[in-house]
PDB file of all heavy atoms in Angstrom:
ATOM      1  N   GLY A   1       0.833  -1.227  -0.006  1.00 96.00           N
ATOM      2  CA  GLY A   1      -0.003   0.023   0.020  1.00 96.00           C
ATOM      3  C   GLY A   1       0.848   1.265  -0.045  1.00 96.00           C
ATOM      4  O   GLY A   1       2.100   1.228   0.265  1.00 96.00           O
ATOM      5  N   ALA A   2       0.206   2.371  -0.282  1.00 95.00           N
ATOM      6  CA  ALA A   2       0.863   3.672  -0.258  1.00 95.00           C
ATOM      7  C   ALA A   2       0.035   4.674   0.570  1.00 95.00           C
ATOM      8  O   ALA A   2      -1.196   4.555   0.523  1.00 95.00           O
ATOM      9  CB  ALA A   2       1.049   4.202  -1.679  1.00 95.00           C
ATOM     10  N   ASN A   3       0.702   5.551   1.262  1.00 93.00           N
ATOM     11  CA  ASN A   3       0.004   6.577   2.057  1.00 93.00           C
ATOM     12  C   ASN A   3       0.518   7.971   1.662  1.00 93.00           C
ATOM     13  O   ASN A   3       1.752   8.136   1.543  1.00 93.00           O
ATOM     14  CB  ASN A   3       0.297   6.338   3.542  1.00 93.00           C
ATOM     15  CG  ASN A   3      -0.409   7.259   4.440  1.00 93.00           C
ATOM     16  OD1 ASN A   3      -1.628   7.126   4.629  1.00 93.00           O
ATOM     17  ND2 ASN A   3       0.309   8.229   5.027  1.00 93.00           N
ATOM     18  N   PHE A   4      -0.402   8.873   1.521  1.00 93.00           N
ATOM     19  CA  PHE A   4      -0.012  10.271   1.148  1.00 93.00           C
ATOM     20  C   PHE A   4      -0.683  11.235   2.092  1.00 93.00           C
ATOM     21  O   PHE A   4      -1.905  11.261   2.243  1.00 93.00           O
ATOM     22  CB  PHE A   4      -0.425  10.572  -0.324  1.00 93.00           C
ATOM     23  CG  PHE A   4       0.033  11.929  -0.757  1.00 93.00           C
ATOM     24  CD1 PHE A   4       1.326  12.173  -1.121  1.00 93.00           C
ATOM     25  CD2 PHE A   4      -0.900  12.971  -0.799  1.00 93.00           C
ATOM     26  CE1 PHE A   4       1.671  13.444  -1.518  1.00 93.00           C
ATOM     27  CE2 PHE A   4      -0.529  14.232  -1.200  1.00 93.00           C
ATOM     28  CZ  PHE A   4       0.793  14.481  -1.587  1.00 93.00           C
ATOM     29  N   MET A   5       0.085  12.006   2.807  1.00 91.00           N
ATOM     30  CA  MET A   5      -0.422  12.973   3.809  1.00 91.00           C
ATOM     31  C   MET A   5      -0.776  14.276   3.146  1.00 91.00           C
ATOM     32  O   MET A   5       0.021  14.877   2.458  1.00 91.00           O
ATOM     33  CB  MET A   5       0.620  13.225   4.881  1.00 91.00           C
ATOM     34  CG  MET A   5       0.900  12.056   5.825  1.00 91.00           C
ATOM     35  SD  MET A   5       1.976  12.517   7.216  1.00 91.00           S
ATOM     36  CE  MET A   5       0.946  13.741   8.047  1.00 91.00           C
ATOM     37  N   ILE A   6      -2.070  14.657   3.315  1.00 92.00           N
ATOM     38  CA  ILE A   6      -2.542  15.925   2.802  1.00 92.00           C
ATOM     39  C   ILE A   6      -2.306  16.987   3.814  1.00 92.00           C
ATOM     40  O   ILE A   6      -1.934  18.148   3.513  1.00 92.00           O
ATOM     41  CB  ILE A   6      -4.014  15.830   2.429  1.00 92.00           C
ATOM     42  CG1 ILE A   6      -4.206  14.818   1.325  1.00 92.00           C
ATOM     43  CG2 ILE A   6      -4.580  17.157   2.018  1.00 92.00           C
ATOM     44  CD1 ILE A   6      -5.648  14.556   0.945  1.00 92.00           C
ATOM     45  N   SER A   7      -2.527  16.662   5.096  1.00 89.00           N
ATOM     46  CA  SER A   7      -2.302  17.554   6.246  1.00 89.00           C
ATOM     47  C   SER A   7      -1.990  16.725   7.440  1.00 89.00           C
ATOM     48  O   SER A   7      -1.850  15.493   7.371  1.00 89.00           O
ATOM     49  CB  SER A   7      -3.535  18.421   6.508  1.00 89.00           C
ATOM     50  OG  SER A   7      -4.588  17.637   6.944  1.00 89.00           O
ATOM     51  N   ASP A   8      -1.777  17.364   8.617  1.00 85.00           N
ATOM     52  CA  ASP A   8      -1.514  16.616   9.823  1.00 85.00           C
ATOM     53  C   ASP A   8      -2.648  15.713  10.245  1.00 85.00           C
ATOM     54  O   ASP A   8      -2.471  14.760  11.008  1.00 85.00           O
ATOM     55  CB  ASP A   8      -1.176  17.596  10.998  1.00 85.00           C
ATOM     56  CG  ASP A   8       0.155  18.273  10.728  1.00 85.00           C
ATOM     57  OD1 ASP A   8       0.996  17.776   9.985  1.00 85.00           O
ATOM     58  OD2 ASP A   8       0.372  19.336  11.380  1.00 85.00           O
ATOM     59  N   GLN A   9      -3.840  16.041   9.784  1.00 90.00           N
ATOM     60  CA  GLN A   9      -4.988  15.312  10.164  1.00 90.00           C
ATOM     61  C   GLN A   9      -5.601  14.346   9.096  1.00 90.00           C
ATOM     62  O   GLN A   9      -6.272  13.399   9.408  1.00 90.00           O
ATOM     63  CB  GLN A   9      -6.144  16.213  10.631  1.00 90.00           C
ATOM     64  CG  GLN A   9      -5.868  16.974  11.927  1.00 90.00           C
ATOM     65  CD  GLN A   9      -7.058  17.800  12.311  1.00 90.00           C
ATOM     66  OE1 GLN A   9      -7.612  18.540  11.561  1.00 90.00           O
ATOM     67  NE2 GLN A   9      -7.437  17.718  13.617  1.00 90.00           N
ATOM     68  N   VAL A  10      -5.230  14.645   7.865  1.00 93.00           N
ATOM     69  CA  VAL A  10      -5.892  13.886   6.747  1.00 93.00           C
ATOM     70  C   VAL A  10      -4.809  13.251   5.857  1.00 93.00           C
ATOM     71  O   VAL A  10      -3.827  13.896   5.498  1.00 93.00           O
ATOM     72  CB  VAL A  10      -6.760  14.793   5.875  1.00 93.00           C
ATOM     73  CG1 VAL A  10      -7.415  14.019   4.745  1.00 93.00           C
ATOM     74  CG2 VAL A  10      -7.845  15.468   6.746  1.00 93.00           C
ATOM     75  N   SER A  11      -5.031  11.964   5.554  1.00 94.00           N
ATOM     76  CA  SER A  11      -4.182  11.214   4.610  1.00 94.00           C
ATOM     77  C   SER A  11      -5.079  10.388   3.689  1.00 94.00           C
ATOM     78  O   SER A  11      -6.175  10.060   4.021  1.00 94.00           O
ATOM     79  CB  SER A  11      -3.277  10.213   5.409  1.00 94.00           C
ATOM     80  OG  SER A  11      -2.394  10.909   6.271  1.00 94.00           O
ATOM     81  N   ILE A  12      -4.543  10.149   2.530  1.00 95.00           N
ATOM     82  CA  ILE A  12      -5.217   9.245   1.587  1.00 95.00           C
ATOM     83  C   ILE A  12      -4.317   8.022   1.424  1.00 95.00           C
ATOM     84  O   ILE A  12      -3.108   8.122   1.481  1.00 95.00           O
ATOM     85  CB  ILE A  12      -5.574   9.902   0.230  1.00 95.00           C
ATOM     86  CG1 ILE A  12      -4.305  10.437  -0.427  1.00 95.00           C
ATOM     87  CG2 ILE A  12      -6.535  11.003   0.446  1.00 95.00           C
ATOM     88  CD1 ILE A  12      -4.524  10.987  -1.823  1.00 95.00           C
ATOM     89  N   PHE A  13      -4.981   6.877   1.142  1.00 96.00           N
ATOM     90  CA  PHE A  13      -4.185   5.684   1.004  1.00 96.00           C
ATOM     91  C   PHE A  13      -4.765   4.815  -0.109  1.00 96.00           C
ATOM     92  O   PHE A  13      -5.937   4.933  -0.486  1.00 96.00           O
ATOM     93  CB  PHE A  13      -4.169   4.865   2.317  1.00 96.00           C
ATOM     94  CG  PHE A  13      -5.535   4.390   2.794  1.00 96.00           C
ATOM     95  CD1 PHE A  13      -5.979   3.105   2.280  1.00 96.00           C
ATOM     96  CD2 PHE A  13      -6.334   5.126   3.626  1.00 96.00           C
ATOM     97  CE1 PHE A  13      -7.230   2.637   2.732  1.00 96.00           C
ATOM     98  CE2 PHE A  13      -7.574   4.644   4.050  1.00 96.00           C
ATOM     99  CZ  PHE A  13      -8.052   3.386   3.547  1.00 96.00           C
ATOM    100  N   GLY A  14      -3.944   3.910  -0.621  1.00 97.00           N
ATOM    101  CA  GLY A  14      -4.344   2.971  -1.638  1.00 97.00           C
ATOM    102  C   GLY A  14      -3.659   1.603  -1.318  1.00 97.00           C
ATOM    103  O   GLY A  14      -2.482   1.577  -0.924  1.00 97.00           O
ATOM    104  N   GLU A  15      -4.412   0.497  -1.498  1.00 97.00           N
ATOM    105  CA  GLU A  15      -3.861  -0.816  -1.189  1.00 97.00           C
ATOM    106  C   GLU A  15      -4.237  -1.853  -2.249  1.00 97.00           C
ATOM    107  O   GLU A  15      -5.313  -1.770  -2.834  1.00 97.00           O
ATOM    108  CB  GLU A  15      -4.385  -1.308   0.171  1.00 97.00           C
ATOM    109  CG  GLU A  15      -3.877  -0.545   1.355  1.00 97.00           C
ATOM    110  CD  GLU A  15      -4.450  -1.040   2.652  1.00 97.00           C
ATOM    111  OE1 GLU A  15      -5.288  -1.969   2.646  1.00 97.00           O
ATOM    112  OE2 GLU A  15      -4.103  -0.486   3.703  1.00 97.00           O
ATOM    113  N   GLY A  16      -3.274  -2.735  -2.521  1.00 97.00           N
ATOM    114  CA  GLY A  16      -3.617  -3.933  -3.241  1.00 97.00           C
ATOM    115  C   GLY A  16      -3.297  -5.193  -2.354  1.00 97.00           C
ATOM    116  O   GLY A  16      -2.258  -5.189  -1.756  1.00 97.00           O
ATOM    117  N   ARG A  17      -4.233  -6.094  -2.317  1.00 96.00           N
ATOM    118  CA  ARG A  17      -4.017  -7.172  -1.361  1.00 96.00           C
ATOM    119  C   ARG A  17      -4.632  -8.494  -1.904  1.00 96.00           C
ATOM    120  O   ARG A  17      -5.451  -8.478  -2.777  1.00 96.00           O
ATOM    121  CB  ARG A  17      -4.610  -6.873   0.010  1.00 96.00           C
ATOM    122  CG  ARG A  17      -6.127  -6.685   0.016  1.00 96.00           C
ATOM    123  CD  ARG A  17      -6.654  -6.681   1.426  1.00 96.00           C
ATOM    124  NE  ARG A  17      -6.121  -5.535   2.204  1.00 96.00           N
ATOM    125  CZ  ARG A  17      -6.059  -5.511   3.519  1.00 96.00           C
ATOM    126  NH1 ARG A  17      -6.352  -6.613   4.278  1.00 96.00           N
ATOM    127  NH2 ARG A  17      -5.561  -4.476   4.170  1.00 96.00           N
ATOM    128  N   ILE A  18      -4.103  -9.553  -1.310  1.00 96.00           N
ATOM    129  CA  ILE A  18      -4.658 -10.859  -1.565  1.00 96.00           C
ATOM    130  C   ILE A  18      -5.088 -11.519  -0.255  1.00 96.00           C
ATOM    131  O   ILE A  18      -4.580 -11.155   0.800  1.00 96.00           O
ATOM    132  CB  ILE A  18      -3.621 -11.785  -2.331  1.00 96.00           C
ATOM    133  CG1 ILE A  18      -2.384 -11.989  -1.397  1.00 96.00           C
ATOM    134  CG2 ILE A  18      -3.294 -11.250  -3.676  1.00 96.00           C
ATOM    135  CD1 ILE A  18      -1.390 -13.002  -2.031  1.00 96.00           C
ATOM    136  N   GLY A  19      -6.042 -12.451  -0.326  1.00 95.00           N
ATOM    137  CA  GLY A  19      -6.531 -13.177   0.828  1.00 95.00           C
ATOM    138  C   GLY A  19      -6.308 -14.685   0.567  1.00 95.00           C
ATOM    139  O   GLY A  19      -6.942 -15.281  -0.307  1.00 95.00           O
ATOM    140  N   LEU A  20      -5.416 -15.299   1.370  1.00 93.00           N
ATOM    141  CA  LEU A  20      -5.122 -16.717   1.208  1.00 93.00           C
ATOM    142  C   LEU A  20      -5.934 -17.491   2.283  1.00 93.00           C
ATOM    143  O   LEU A  20      -5.787 -17.208   3.455  1.00 93.00           O
ATOM    144  CB  LEU A  20      -3.628 -16.987   1.378  1.00 93.00           C
ATOM    145  CG  LEU A  20      -2.708 -16.210   0.432  1.00 93.00           C
ATOM    146  CD1 LEU A  20      -1.247 -16.403   0.824  1.00 93.00           C
ATOM    147  CD2 LEU A  20      -2.914 -16.747  -0.995  1.00 93.00           C
ATOM    148  N   PRO A  21      -6.738 -18.495   1.852  1.00 91.00           N
ATOM    149  CA  PRO A  21      -7.449 -19.284   2.845  1.00 91.00           C
ATOM    150  C   PRO A  21      -6.444 -20.020   3.767  1.00 91.00           C
ATOM    151  O   PRO A  21      -5.512 -20.599   3.326  1.00 91.00           O
ATOM    152  CB  PRO A  21      -8.239 -20.314   1.961  1.00 91.00           C
ATOM    153  CG  PRO A  21      -8.235 -19.682   0.611  1.00 91.00           C
ATOM    154  CD  PRO A  21      -7.016 -18.863   0.471  1.00 91.00           C
ATOM    155  N   ALA A  22      -6.719 -19.908   5.110  1.00 81.00           N
ATOM    156  CA  ALA A  22      -5.903 -20.634   6.089  1.00 81.00           C
ATOM    157  C   ALA A  22      -6.432 -22.086   6.143  1.00 81.00           C
ATOM    158  O   ALA A  22      -7.408 -22.309   6.821  1.00 81.00           O
ATOM    159  CB  ALA A  22      -5.978 -19.934   7.405  1.00 81.00           C
ATOM    160  N   ASN A  23      -5.710 -22.987   5.474  1.00 71.00           N
ATOM    161  CA  ASN A  23      -6.179 -24.361   5.362  1.00 71.00           C
ATOM    162  C   ASN A  23      -5.503 -25.363   6.266  1.00 71.00           C
ATOM    163  O   ASN A  23      -5.648 -26.543   6.145  1.00 71.00           O
ATOM    164  CB  ASN A  23      -6.013 -24.838   3.904  1.00 71.00           C
ATOM    165  CG  ASN A  23      -6.971 -24.157   2.977  1.00 71.00           C
ATOM    166  OD1 ASN A  23      -8.109 -23.927   3.287  1.00 71.00           O
ATOM    167  ND2 ASN A  23      -6.503 -23.808   1.804  1.00 71.00           N
ATOM    168  N   LYS A  24      -4.669 -24.813   7.193  1.00 55.00           N
ATOM    169  CA  LYS A  24      -3.980 -25.728   8.122  1.00 55.00           C
ATOM    170  C   LYS A  24      -4.188 -25.250   9.566  1.00 55.00           C
ATOM    171  O   LYS A  24      -4.130 -24.060   9.841  1.00 55.00           O
ATOM    172  CB  LYS A  24      -2.469 -25.823   7.844  1.00 55.00           C
ATOM    173  CG  LYS A  24      -2.191 -26.771   6.736  1.00 55.00           C
ATOM    174  CD  LYS A  24      -0.731 -27.112   6.700  1.00 55.00           C
ATOM    175  CE  LYS A  24      -0.395 -28.255   5.621  1.00 55.00           C
ATOM    176  NZ  LYS A  24       1.040 -28.580   5.637  1.00 55.00           N
ATOM    177  N   GLN A  25      -4.376 -26.169  10.462  1.00 53.00           N
ATOM    178  CA  GLN A  25      -4.532 -25.847  11.914  1.00 53.00           C
ATOM    179  C   GLN A  25      -3.852 -26.970  12.691  1.00 53.00           C
ATOM    180  O   GLN A  25      -4.271 -28.113  12.592  1.00 53.00           O
ATOM    181  CB  GLN A  25      -6.002 -25.711  12.273  1.00 53.00           C
ATOM    182  CG  GLN A  25      -6.236 -25.333  13.750  1.00 53.00           C
ATOM    183  CD  GLN A  25      -7.705 -25.147  14.020  1.00 53.00           C
ATOM    184  OE1 GLN A  25      -8.509 -24.889  13.157  1.00 53.00           O
ATOM    185  NE2 GLN A  25      -8.046 -25.195  15.249  1.00 53.00           N
ATOM    186  N   ASP A  26      -2.835 -26.639  13.480  1.00 52.00           N
ATOM    187  CA  ASP A  26      -2.058 -27.594  14.245  1.00 52.00           C
ATOM    188  C   ASP A  26      -1.541 -28.688  13.305  1.00 52.00           C
ATOM    189  O   ASP A  26      -1.620 -29.933  13.622  1.00 52.00           O
ATOM    190  CB  ASP A  26      -2.950 -28.265  15.352  1.00 52.00           C
ATOM    191  CG  ASP A  26      -3.367 -27.191  16.354  1.00 52.00           C
ATOM    192  OD1 ASP A  26      -2.636 -26.241  16.598  1.00 52.00           O
ATOM    193  OD2 ASP A  26      -4.438 -27.347  16.954  1.00 52.00           O
ATOM    194  N   ASP A  27      -0.991 -28.300  12.160  1.00 57.00           N
ATOM    195  CA  ASP A  27      -0.434 -29.204  11.140  1.00 57.00           C
ATOM    196  C   ASP A  27      -1.442 -30.197  10.532  1.00 57.00           C
ATOM    197  O   ASP A  27      -1.072 -31.152   9.893  1.00 57.00           O
ATOM    198  CB  ASP A  27       0.692 -30.044  11.751  1.00 57.00           C
ATOM    199  CG  ASP A  27       1.924 -29.143  12.141  1.00 57.00           C
ATOM    200  OD1 ASP A  27       2.135 -28.168  11.421  1.00 57.00           O
ATOM    201  OD2 ASP A  27       2.616 -29.479  13.123  1.00 57.00           O
ATOM    202  N   GLN A  28      -2.720 -29.931  10.719  1.00 57.00           N
ATOM    203  CA  GLN A  28      -3.820 -30.718  10.178  1.00 57.00           C
ATOM    204  C   GLN A  28      -4.494 -29.919   9.036  1.00 57.00           C
ATOM    205  O   GLN A  28      -4.852 -28.758   9.196  1.00 57.00           O
ATOM    206  CB  GLN A  28      -4.803 -31.134  11.272  1.00 57.00           C
ATOM    207  CG  GLN A  28      -4.261 -31.934  12.359  1.00 57.00           C
ATOM    208  CD  GLN A  28      -3.795 -33.305  11.931  1.00 57.00           C
ATOM    209  OE1 GLN A  28      -4.428 -33.939  11.061  1.00 57.00           O
ATOM    210  NE2 GLN A  28      -2.669 -33.762  12.475  1.00 57.00           N
ATOM    211  N   LEU A  29      -4.678 -30.588   7.926  1.00 57.00           N
ATOM    212  CA  LEU A  29      -5.329 -29.971   6.814  1.00 57.00           C
ATOM    213  C   LEU A  29      -6.823 -29.862   7.064  1.00 57.00           C
ATOM    214  O   LEU A  29      -7.472 -30.860   7.484  1.00 57.00           O
ATOM    215  CB  LEU A  29      -5.050 -30.760   5.530  1.00 57.00           C
ATOM    216  CG  LEU A  29      -5.576 -30.112   4.217  1.00 57.00           C
ATOM    217  CD1 LEU A  29      -4.842 -28.813   3.918  1.00 57.00           C
ATOM    218  CD2 LEU A  29      -5.450 -31.098   3.030  1.00 57.00           C
ATOM    219  N   ILE A  30      -7.386 -28.670   6.913  1.00 59.00           N
ATOM    220  CA  ILE A  30      -8.818 -28.456   7.161  1.00 59.00           C
ATOM    221  C   ILE A  30      -9.409 -27.827   5.898  1.00 59.00           C
ATOM    222  O   ILE A  30      -8.713 -27.203   5.099  1.00 59.00           O
ATOM    223  CB  ILE A  30      -9.099 -27.555   8.362  1.00 59.00           C
ATOM    224  CG1 ILE A  30      -8.434 -26.153   8.129  1.00 59.00           C
ATOM    225  CG2 ILE A  30      -8.594 -28.141   9.697  1.00 59.00           C
ATOM    226  CD1 ILE A  30      -8.715 -25.134   9.227  1.00 59.00           C
ATOM    227  N   VAL A  31     -10.667 -28.059   5.751  1.00 69.00           N
ATOM    228  CA  VAL A  31     -11.351 -27.535   4.531  1.00 69.00           C
ATOM    229  C   VAL A  31     -11.881 -26.096   4.874  1.00 69.00           C
ATOM    230  O   VAL A  31     -12.588 -25.869   5.813  1.00 69.00           O
ATOM    231  CB  VAL A  31     -12.538 -28.392   4.137  1.00 69.00           C
ATOM    232  CG1 VAL A  31     -13.327 -27.807   3.006  1.00 69.00           C
ATOM    233  CG2 VAL A  31     -12.077 -29.835   3.779  1.00 69.00           C
ATOM    234  N   ASN A  32     -11.441 -25.156   4.068  1.00 79.00           N
ATOM    235  CA  ASN A  32     -11.812 -23.754   4.275  1.00 79.00           C
ATOM    236  C   ASN A  32     -12.737 -23.391   3.079  1.00 79.00           C
ATOM    237  O   ASN A  32     -12.359 -23.406   1.945  1.00 79.00           O
ATOM    238  CB  ASN A  32     -10.621 -22.816   4.269  1.00 79.00           C
ATOM    239  CG  ASN A  32     -10.914 -21.419   4.690  1.00 79.00           C
ATOM    240  OD1 ASN A  32     -12.017 -20.952   4.570  1.00 79.00           O
ATOM    241  ND2 ASN A  32      -9.923 -20.768   5.296  1.00 79.00           N
ATOM    242  N   PRO A  33     -14.001 -23.100   3.379  1.00 86.00           N
ATOM    243  CA  PRO A  33     -14.966 -22.780   2.307  1.00 86.00           C
ATOM    244  C   PRO A  33     -14.786 -21.435   1.691  1.00 86.00           C
ATOM    245  O   PRO A  33     -15.376 -21.203   0.676  1.00 86.00           O
ATOM    246  CB  PRO A  33     -16.350 -22.857   3.048  1.00 86.00           C
ATOM    247  CG  PRO A  33     -16.023 -22.448   4.464  1.00 86.00           C
ATOM    248  CD  PRO A  33     -14.649 -22.982   4.747  1.00 86.00           C
ATOM    249  N   ILE A  34     -13.946 -20.576   2.218  1.00 91.00           N
ATOM    250  CA  ILE A  34     -13.713 -19.258   1.647  1.00 91.00           C
ATOM    251  C   ILE A  34     -12.569 -19.357   0.653  1.00 91.00           C
ATOM    252  O   ILE A  34     -11.499 -19.790   0.994  1.00 91.00           O
ATOM    253  CB  ILE A  34     -13.336 -18.237   2.798  1.00 91.00           C
ATOM    254  CG1 ILE A  34     -14.367 -18.275   3.919  1.00 91.00           C
ATOM    255  CG2 ILE A  34     -13.208 -16.827   2.159  1.00 91.00           C
ATOM    256  CD1 ILE A  34     -15.762 -17.974   3.458  1.00 91.00           C
ATOM    257  N   PRO A  35     -12.806 -18.987  -0.565  1.00 91.00           N
ATOM    258  CA  PRO A  35     -11.828 -19.138  -1.620  1.00 91.00           C
ATOM    259  C   PRO A  35     -10.810 -17.971  -1.615  1.00 91.00           C
ATOM    260  O   PRO A  35     -10.938 -16.987  -0.908  1.00 91.00           O
ATOM    261  CB  PRO A  35     -12.631 -19.073  -2.943  1.00 91.00           C
ATOM    262  CG  PRO A  35     -13.834 -18.264  -2.599  1.00 91.00           C
ATOM    263  CD  PRO A  35     -14.096 -18.506  -1.179  1.00 91.00           C
ATOM    264  N   PHE A  36      -9.688 -18.160  -2.421  1.00 94.00           N
ATOM    265  CA  PHE A  36      -8.696 -17.126  -2.607  1.00 94.00           C
ATOM    266  C   PHE A  36      -9.376 -15.855  -3.143  1.00 94.00           C
ATOM    267  O   PHE A  36     -10.261 -15.889  -3.946  1.00 94.00           O
ATOM    268  CB  PHE A  36      -7.656 -17.630  -3.624  1.00 94.00           C
ATOM    269  CG  PHE A  36      -6.727 -16.647  -4.086  1.00 94.00           C
ATOM    270  CD1 PHE A  36      -5.588 -16.345  -3.345  1.00 94.00           C
ATOM    271  CD2 PHE A  36      -6.877 -15.943  -5.304  1.00 94.00           C
ATOM    272  CE1 PHE A  36      -4.671 -15.416  -3.797  1.00 94.00           C
ATOM    273  CE2 PHE A  36      -5.975 -15.040  -5.727  1.00 94.00           C
ATOM    274  CZ  PHE A  36      -4.843 -14.705  -4.962  1.00 94.00           C
ATOM    275  N   SER A  37      -8.875 -14.727  -2.694  1.00 96.00           N
ATOM    276  CA  SER A  37      -9.448 -13.457  -3.118  1.00 96.00           C
ATOM    277  C   SER A  37      -8.361 -12.414  -3.401  1.00 96.00           C
ATOM    278  O   SER A  37      -7.192 -12.598  -2.915  1.00 96.00           O
ATOM    279  CB  SER A  37     -10.381 -12.891  -1.983  1.00 96.00           C
ATOM    280  OG  SER A  37      -9.729 -12.562  -0.856  1.00 96.00           O
ATOM    281  N   TYR A  38      -8.725 -11.433  -4.112  1.00 97.00           N
ATOM    282  CA  TYR A  38      -7.776 -10.314  -4.418  1.00 97.00           C
ATOM    283  C   TYR A  38      -8.525  -9.031  -4.636  1.00 97.00           C
ATOM    284  O   TYR A  38      -9.683  -9.079  -5.106  1.00 97.00           O
ATOM    285  CB  TYR A  38      -6.878 -10.632  -5.634  1.00 97.00           C
ATOM    286  CG  TYR A  38      -7.701 -11.003  -6.849  1.00 97.00           C
ATOM    287  CD1 TYR A  38      -8.006 -10.019  -7.817  1.00 97.00           C
ATOM    288  CD2 TYR A  38      -8.102 -12.251  -7.105  1.00 97.00           C
ATOM    289  CE1 TYR A  38      -8.788 -10.382  -8.920  1.00 97.00           C
ATOM    290  CE2 TYR A  38      -8.902 -12.649  -8.222  1.00 97.00           C
ATOM    291  CZ  TYR A  38      -9.179 -11.663  -9.136  1.00 97.00           C
ATOM    292  OH  TYR A  38      -9.878 -12.000 -10.270  1.00 97.00           O
ATOM    293  N   GLY A  39      -7.939  -7.895  -4.293  1.00 97.00           N
ATOM    294  CA  GLY A  39      -8.663  -6.687  -4.471  1.00 97.00           C
ATOM    295  C   GLY A  39      -7.815  -5.403  -4.390  1.00 97.00           C
ATOM    296  O   GLY A  39      -6.645  -5.438  -4.053  1.00 97.00           O
ATOM    297  N   LEU A  40      -8.443  -4.268  -4.791  1.00 97.00           N
ATOM    298  CA  LEU A  40      -7.838  -2.971  -4.717  1.00 97.00           C
ATOM    299  C   LEU A  40      -8.735  -2.073  -3.852  1.00 97.00           C
ATOM    300  O   LEU A  40      -9.961  -2.133  -3.946  1.00 97.00           O
ATOM    301  CB  LEU A  40      -7.690  -2.375  -6.103  1.00 97.00           C
ATOM    302  CG  LEU A  40      -6.765  -3.113  -7.091  1.00 97.00           C
ATOM    303  CD1 LEU A  40      -6.844  -2.523  -8.482  1.00 97.00           C
ATOM    304  CD2 LEU A  40      -5.307  -3.072  -6.610  1.00 97.00           C
ATOM    305  N   LEU A  41      -8.103  -1.151  -3.150  1.00 97.00           N
ATOM    306  CA  LEU A  41      -8.844  -0.278  -2.217  1.00 97.00           C
ATOM    307  C   LEU A  41      -8.162   1.105  -2.209  1.00 97.00           C
ATOM    308  O   LEU A  41      -6.972   1.154  -2.138  1.00 97.00           O
ATOM    309  CB  LEU A  41      -8.929  -0.899  -0.815  1.00 97.00           C
ATOM    310  CG  LEU A  41      -9.612  -0.139   0.276  1.00 97.00           C
ATOM    311  CD1 LEU A  41     -11.141  -0.271   0.073  1.00 97.00           C
ATOM    312  CD2 LEU A  41      -9.278  -0.719   1.647  1.00 97.00           C
ATOM    313  N   ALA A  42      -9.012   2.130  -2.147  1.00 98.00           N
ATOM    314  CA  ALA A  42      -8.513   3.480  -1.939  1.00 98.00           C
ATOM    315  C   ALA A  42      -9.395   4.116  -0.855  1.00 98.00           C
ATOM    316  O   ALA A  42     -10.575   3.959  -0.858  1.00 98.00           O
ATOM    317  CB  ALA A  42      -8.538   4.286  -3.263  1.00 98.00           C
TER     318      ALA A  42
END
């Protein structure tokens, strides 16, 4: 992401991110119904 300060009180930001399903718990494979995701945000 990137952050740009307009003033001491106001900033604008932009982000690109991915979401990876957490499919392991205590070294055990679990089924995660939420799929891989990706997105942009401002």
Side-chain angles (χ1 to χ4, degrees):
N3 184 75
F4 183 77
M5 291 187 63
I6 298 177
S7 68
D8 291 339
Q9 290 184 314
V10 180
S11 299
I12 58 175
F13 65 87
E15 292 177 359
R17 64 169 61 206
I18 59 174
L20 301 172
N23 291 320
K24 279 193 174 182
Q25 182 176 340
D26 297 330
D27 294 329
Q28 298 294 321
L29 187 65
I30 59 175
V31 177
N32 192 332
I34 308 302
F36 171 84
S37 64
Y38 54 94
L40 297 172
L41 180 73

